[in-house]
């Protein structure tokens, strides 16, 4: 088979690696709108998509961009958009539509300093709760946080796989540091990558219902526009036929399934990096860029004789609740450094069951001073 | 002897398991849907390859009743959703049916930009001068002085002239009819389905439940009578010079019918020159389908 992706070893910017990953995963439609620090992804897709038979459209805003990738996905093409805080805020309503219609697609949030226009050229991790709860209503969500251009590549492929498998918009929550960082990136040939594609129905038109869940599955088989199935899909609460059903019973069933399809598959979805957890007294829970910047602080604390464990959330959502609960049984406490004013720490605290949990916030535009990290670890280790 | 069970004349085109529909008696939408389905059928296109996208509102519900691949999306965003579909699969004919509030208030920006790009979409705007679904609030089409639930002293705003706006933004095809011009609507839909580029059709439709009630317009039939009395046909009219008001003339016709390259054609033209010479270009697209 002819290789469609750029493969080999590259000195590559994170955002470019993300775009190349999307192409390797089979993404053939990108709808976007310029925004710092995410524009490189759109620029790369504008350059590369025509080369592989895909389409790029620069829209009038992020609302249109998000709506367009849903439409492209329903027309049978893997699709993606990329933005940053203000743009993601505009996308949230249609992200909810993607959740409700169960539309596979990928949304990249190259986080910058926030709120509002904030720090366009600088970084933050303050959209983590937005990724979880940003669109109105209750639903399950997946967000992956890369710490390097290589992982940005790898996780963008994983994001497409999860999107196809669980039929929802999946977030890649990077930030301006990873987005603009240039490092070595290895891109394997496309046939060496694990690529998951949506399961199309093998039923005949007439027998097919767009939201009938077969036994043992969490999502329905797919049918794309133009294949003769003549199905309906809506953002309203709907039954197996995709028809609006305003009954309480239908709503209960649908909302529960949108949550359960993620909740019941956490073992498949959650990716973690674990170091020195077995005999740890203090566990540093971290994700994304922060997982790199806190390492000197951890090393300093270790030098002082503290047993420090390291838990990196590669999958931030769904949150690894059980992992924290298990750790809470034998550790003295947790330290949660993050470049926001304390978002993921709320989750750690919730699962820690009263075990000391120390937030180490930073509003963005800078990184944690490693001495502060060491100090926080010490405080937890020697807490009375 | 058994009596033959009478069938609905449109049952091949409608989701009969969703009938009765939610529209009010005397609403224009029922006959507009009929004209739409007849128009696309007359165009000879494969209905399996026709996707219909709606936004939110009374007209937004059209997607739920037609036997097509149909998508009922978010308020105002039907056009970008449809754009994604069309760009993902050029074999599809993609139509958008939505209301005046959906397409020109919350979704106004998407409409003018899709028209500017000459995106190959058929957009049908059912204009009833008011927000029906939510109970009669002011729309960007509500005539100056007309009453609505959010204009209790009469509307202070100048309304949009939809055909003028669509033409100015660069549409390839612009037409206006009232809900009484069913044959004309059908013919326009047929033309639009056959035509490439951004095609826009405004249909003036009666809303008895809120617009007529707020404005002492009588029944839906009275409104239709009024629209009929006021309407004239002039294909040569300048779309910029035929705005609508409470009691003036409703000039109908096909005002724009141009041939110009679509977005996809421009992409093809641009890429065929430069992309194919690039070392990263993948020649056989089928080889790398995933």
């Amino acid at each position: 088979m002819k290789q469609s992706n750029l493969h080999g070893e590259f000195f590559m910017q994170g955002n470019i690696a993300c775009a190349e990953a999307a192409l390797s995963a089979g993404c053939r439609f990108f709808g976007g709108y310029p925004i710092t620090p995410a524009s490189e992804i759109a620029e790369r897709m504008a350059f590369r998509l025509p080369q592989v038979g895909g389409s790029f459209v620069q829209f009038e805003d992020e609302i249109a961009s998000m709506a367009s990738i849903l439409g492209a996905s329903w027309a049978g093409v893997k699709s993606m958009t990329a933005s940053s805080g203000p743009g993601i805020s505009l996308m949230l309503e249609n992200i909810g539509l993607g959740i409700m219609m169960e539309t596979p697609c990928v949304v990249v949030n190259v986080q910058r300093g926030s709120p509002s226009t904030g720090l366009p050229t600088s970084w933050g991790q303050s959209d983590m709760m937005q990724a979880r709860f940003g669109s109105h209503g209750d639903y399950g969500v997946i967000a992956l946080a890369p710490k390097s251009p290589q992982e940005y590549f790898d996780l963008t492929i994983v994001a497409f796989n999860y999107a196809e498998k669980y039929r929802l918009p999946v977030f890649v929550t990077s930030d301006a540091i990873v987005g603009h960082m240039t490092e070595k990136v290895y891109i394997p040939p496309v046939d060496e990558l694990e690529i998951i594609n949506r399961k199309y129905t093998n039923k005949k038109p007439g027998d097919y219902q767009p939201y009938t869940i077969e036994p043992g599955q969490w999502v329905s088989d797919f049918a794309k526009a133009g294949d003769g199935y003549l199905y309906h899909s809506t953002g309203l609460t709907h039954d197996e036929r995709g028809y609006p059903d305003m009954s309480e019973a239908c709503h209960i069933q649908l909302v529960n399934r949108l949550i359960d399809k993620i909740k019941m598959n956490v073992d498949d979805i959650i990716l973690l990096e674990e170091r020195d957890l077995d005999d740890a007294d203090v566990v540093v829970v971290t994700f994304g860029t922060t997982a790199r910047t806190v390492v000197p602080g951890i090393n300093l604390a270790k030098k002082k004789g503290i047993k420090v464990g390291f838990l990196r959330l590669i999958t931030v959502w769904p949150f690894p609740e059980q992992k924290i609960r298990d750790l809470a049984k034998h550790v003295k406490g947790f330290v949660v450094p993050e470049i926001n004013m304390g978002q993921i720490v709320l989750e750690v605290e919730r699962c820690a069951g009263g075990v000391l949990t120390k937030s180490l916030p930073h509003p963005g535009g800078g990184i944690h001073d490693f001495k502060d990290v060491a100090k926080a670890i010490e405080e937890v280790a020697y807490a009375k | 002897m058994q009596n033959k069970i009478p069938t609905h004349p449109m049952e091949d085109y409608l989701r009969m398991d969703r009938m009765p529909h939610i529209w009010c008696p005397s609403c224009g939408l029922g006959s507009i849907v009929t004209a739409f389905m007849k128009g696309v059928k007359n165009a000879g296109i494969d209905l399996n390859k026709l996707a219909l996208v709606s936004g939110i509102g009374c007209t937004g519900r059209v997607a739920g009743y037609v036997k097509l691949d149909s998508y009922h999306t978010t308020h105002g965003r039907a056009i970008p959703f449809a754009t994604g579909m069309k760009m993902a699969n050029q074999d599809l004919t993609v139509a958008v049916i939505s209301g005046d509030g959906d397409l020109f208030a919350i979704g106004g920006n998407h409409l003018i930009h899709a028209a500017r790009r000459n995106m190959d979409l058929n957009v049908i705007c059912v204009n009833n001068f008011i927000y029906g679904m939510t109970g009669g609030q002011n729309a960007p089409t509500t005539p100056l002085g007309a009453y609505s639930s959010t204009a209790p002293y009469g509307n202070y705003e100048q309304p949009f002239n939809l055909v003028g706006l669509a033409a100015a933004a660069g549409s390839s095809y612009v037409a206006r009819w009232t809900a009484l011009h069913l044959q004309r609507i059908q013919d326009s839909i047929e033309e639009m389905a056959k035509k490439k580029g951004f095609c826009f059709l405004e249909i003036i439709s009666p809303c008895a439940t809120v617009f007529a009630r707020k404005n002492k317009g009588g029944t839906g039939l009275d409104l239709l009578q009024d629209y009929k009395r006021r309407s004239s046909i002039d294909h040569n009219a300048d779309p910029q010079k035929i705005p609508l008001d409470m009691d003036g003339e409703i000039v109908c016709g096909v005002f724009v019918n141009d041939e110009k390259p679509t977005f996809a054609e421009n992409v093809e033209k641009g890429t065929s020159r430069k992309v194919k010479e690039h070392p990263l270009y993948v020649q056989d697209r089928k080889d790398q389908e995933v």
Side-chain angles (χ1 to χ4, degrees):
Chain A
M1 191 176 114
K2 185 165 174 165
Q3 291 297 337
S4 63
N5 72 343
L6 199 63
H7 57 96
E9 275 182 7
F10 301 92
F11 188 53
M12 191 175 261
Q13 195 202 51
N15 280 341
I16 305 290
C18 171
E20 287 297 333
L23 296 165
S24 297
C27 174
R28 291 296 179 267
F29 180 83
F30 185 98
Y33 185 83
I35 189 166
T36 304
S39 295
E40 294 84 4
I41 301 175
E43 288 165 353
R44 185 71 177 180
M45 292 304 255
F47 169 62
R48 291 279 284 131
L49 273 168
Q51 296 173 351
V52 296
S55 296
F56 168 88
V57 182
Q58 181 177 321
F59 279 92
E60 51 277 11
D61 57 30
E62 289 89 346
I63 302 174
S65 306
M66 186 62 216
S68 76
I69 70 165
L70 301 181
S73 185
W74 280 101
V77 164
K78 289 187 187 178
S79 58
M80 180 171 92
T81 188
S83 192
S84 188
I88 300 289
S89 292
L90 287 178
M91 288 177 184
L92 284 167
E93 189 198 10
N94 284 305
I95 288 171
L97 180 66
I99 299 272
M100 196 62 153
M101 283 181 150
E102 300 189 65
T103 313
C105 58
V106 172
V107 178
V108 182
N109 181 358
V110 191
Q111 297 173 86
R112 65 194 221 184
S114 292
S116 190
T117 313
L119 303 171
T121 55
S122 194
W123 54 88
Q125 295 180 314
S126 46
D127 307 342
M128 298 313 297
M129 281 298 178
Q130 182 200 46
R132 176 65 193 88
F133 292 111
S135 197
H136 54 285
D138 293 311
Y139 50 88
V141 74
I142 300 176
L144 307 169
K147 68 160 192 174
S148 67
Q150 178 68 57
E151 202 177 56
Y152 208 169
F153 179 91
D154 299 340
L155 291 185
T156 302
I157 298 218
V158 173
F160 272 99
N161 287 347
Y162 287 168
E164 296 286 309
K165 196 168 174 185
Y166 296 106
R167 287 190 60 170
L168 79 168
V170 172
F171 284 102
V172 178
T173 46
S174 67
D175 63 58
I177 297 181
V178 177
H180 286 163
M181 177 190 292
T182 300
E183 280 185 347
K184 186 174 115 175
V185 175
Y186 171 66
I187 302 180
V190 79
D191 45 10
E192 285 175 24
L193 289 163
E194 194 206 340
I195 305 286
I196 296 173
N197 296 319
R198 66 193 71 176
K199 189 169 168 244
Y200 283 103
T201 182
N202 49 21
K203 288 191 174 159
K204 290 195 182 83
D207 299 339
Y208 172 74
Q209 294 187 327
Y211 293 98
T212 295
I213 314 295
E214 300 295 337
Q217 291 190 22
W218 284 99
V219 295
S220 53
D221 293 344
F222 206 86
K224 65 178 192 288
D227 281 353
Y229 288 94
L230 308 184
Y231 60 88
H232 182 58
S233 185
T234 174
L236 288 164
T237 296
H238 48 268
D239 61 17
E240 292 82 2
R241 298 170 297 175
Y243 291 178
D245 181 345
M246 299 297 104
S247 72
E248 183 190 11
C250 184
H251 192 64
I252 288 172
Q253 196 184 18
L254 177 59
V255 173
N256 273 303
R257 191 173 57 76
L258 293 179
I259 292 168
D260 287 347
K261 70 177 179 181
I262 304 303
K263 199 159 102 183
M264 306 308 270
N265 290 295
V266 288
D267 291 341
D268 181 50
I269 299 167
I270 290 177
L271 304 168
L272 299 170
E273 182 188 342
E274 306 172 29
R275 290 208 300 255
D276 312 322
L277 291 180
D278 290 343
D279 61 344
D281 282 333
V282 181
V283 172
V284 175
V285 182
T286 180
F287 60 96
T289 301
T290 308
R292 295 172 73 145
T293 59
V294 298
V295 171
I298 292 172
N299 291 341
L300 186 61
K302 277 182 176 168
K303 265 186 201 160
K304 291 183 178 172
I306 303 168
K307 288 177 180 167
V308 190
F310 176 85
L311 178 66
R312 180 165 72 93
L313 314 179
I314 301 171
T315 303
V316 178
W317 306 117
F319 187 75
E321 297 172 348
Q322 197 54 47
K323 188 82 209 170
I324 300 294
R325 285 196 191 106
D326 292 345
L327 286 170
K329 285 176 197 156
H330 64 82
V331 300
K332 201 149 184 207
F334 298 94
V335 174
V336 188
E338 49 190 332
I339 306 181
N340 59 53
M341 294 312 284
Q343 297 187 9
I344 297 304
V345 68
L346 299 173
E347 289 292 279
V348 178
E349 214 164 40
R350 177 173 70 81
C351 301
V355 170
L356 183 58
T357 304
K358 189 167 174 52
S359 175
L360 199 56
H362 190 300
I367 55 172
H368 293 88
D369 185 330
F370 72 95
K371 282 175 248 156
D372 292 342
V373 177
K375 199 173 141 218
I377 295 169
E378 267 180 78
E379 277 172 21
V380 172
Y382 302 124
K384 295 261 162 66
Chain B
M1 202 176 101
Q2 270 189 323
N3 285 334
K4 196 178 172 231
I5 299 164
T7 54
H8 191 285
M10 289 295 288
E11 70 172 6
D12 288 345
Y13 305 104
L14 299 178
R15 299 180 190 279
M16 296 309 289
D17 51 351
R18 287 213 61 206
M19 297 296 140
H21 56 68
I22 62 160
W23 296 318
C24 308
S26 84
C27 175
L29 278 164
S31 38
I32 290 168
V33 170
T34 303
F36 173 78
M37 292 308 295
K38 286 182 175 171
V40 290
K41 185 177 167 259
N42 291 347
I45 59 166
D46 178 359
L47 295 190
N48 288 332
K49 300 280 179 199
L50 172 63
L52 182 75
V53 187
S54 288
I56 297 292
C58 295
T59 314
R61 293 303 186 101
V62 170
Y65 297 129
V66 291
K67 219 183 262 180
L68 297 171
D69 288 327
S70 53
Y71 305 88
H72 179 227
T73 65
T74 39
H75 198 16
R77 318 306 169 198
I79 286 178
F81 189 101
T83 299
M85 297 201 88
K86 182 69 191 177
M87 292 313 295
N89 183 358
Q90 292 292 333
D91 294 339
L92 295 172
T93 301
V94 186
V96 171
I97 302 187
S98 228
D100 47 304
D102 188 83
L103 288 169
F104 283 88
I106 189 165
N109 202 29
H110 308 309
L111 187 130
I112 57 172
H113 284 277
R116 173 178 66 80
R117 295 182 187 109
N118 201 23
M119 194 57 72
D120 192 6
L121 300 174
N122 299 321
V123 177
I124 294 124
C125 177
V126 178
N127 179 5
N128 58 4
F129 304 109
I130 205 156
Y131 283 82
M133 182 74 86
T134 45
Q137 294 80 13
N138 225 45
T141 46
T142 306
L144 193 63
Y147 291 94
S148 72
S149 65
T150 48
Y153 308 107
N155 175 28
Y156 314 120
E157 297 183 25
Q158 282 292 344
F160 267 147
N161 167 15
L162 306 189
V163 289
L165 189 58
S171 306
S172 286
Y173 183 96
V174 178
R176 177 198 277 158
W177 302 110
T178 78
L180 215 58
H181 294 97
L182 287 173
Q183 186 61 47
R184 304 275 190 172
I185 292 172
Q186 199 178 304
D187 294 346
S188 271
I189 301 243
E190 183 184 337
E191 276 186 279
M192 290 161 71
K194 288 176 179 168
K195 193 175 170 66
K196 280 182 185 170
F198 190 87
C199 299
F200 176 77
L201 169 62
E202 175 185 18
I203 304 172
I204 309 298
S205 179
C207 173
T209 305
V210 285
F211 188 69
R213 186 162 54 84
K214 295 271 178 202
N215 291 286
K216 301 202 172 7
T219 64
L221 273 179
D222 293 332
L223 268 188
L224 266 184
Q225 290 273 14
D226 182 51
Y227 295 159
K228 184 188 172 192
R229 182 183 58 78
R230 289 159 56 194
S231 67
S232 64
I233 297 177
D234 179 4
H235 297 299
N236 296 319
D238 178 350
Q240 307 304 333
K241 292 183 178 152
I242 47 169
L244 302 174
D245 56 22
M246 267 316 260
D247 42 23
E249 196 179 2
I250 301 172
V251 180
C252 297
V254 179
F255 313 115
V256 177
N257 196 351
D258 292 343
E259 296 298 327
K260 52 185 174 180
T262 66
F263 178 88
E265 285 167 349
N266 282 337
V267 169
E268 187 58 34
K269 204 172 134 200
T271 55
S272 63
R273 271 187 293 128
K274 290 163 196 161
V275 174
K276 286 169 189 166
E277 290 156 18
H278 198 278
L280 290 177
Y281 179 67
V282 182
Q283 224 165 15
D284 187 352
R285 288 177 185 184
K286 279 193 182 135
D287 274 358
Q288 40 99 33
E289 264 174 16
V290 284

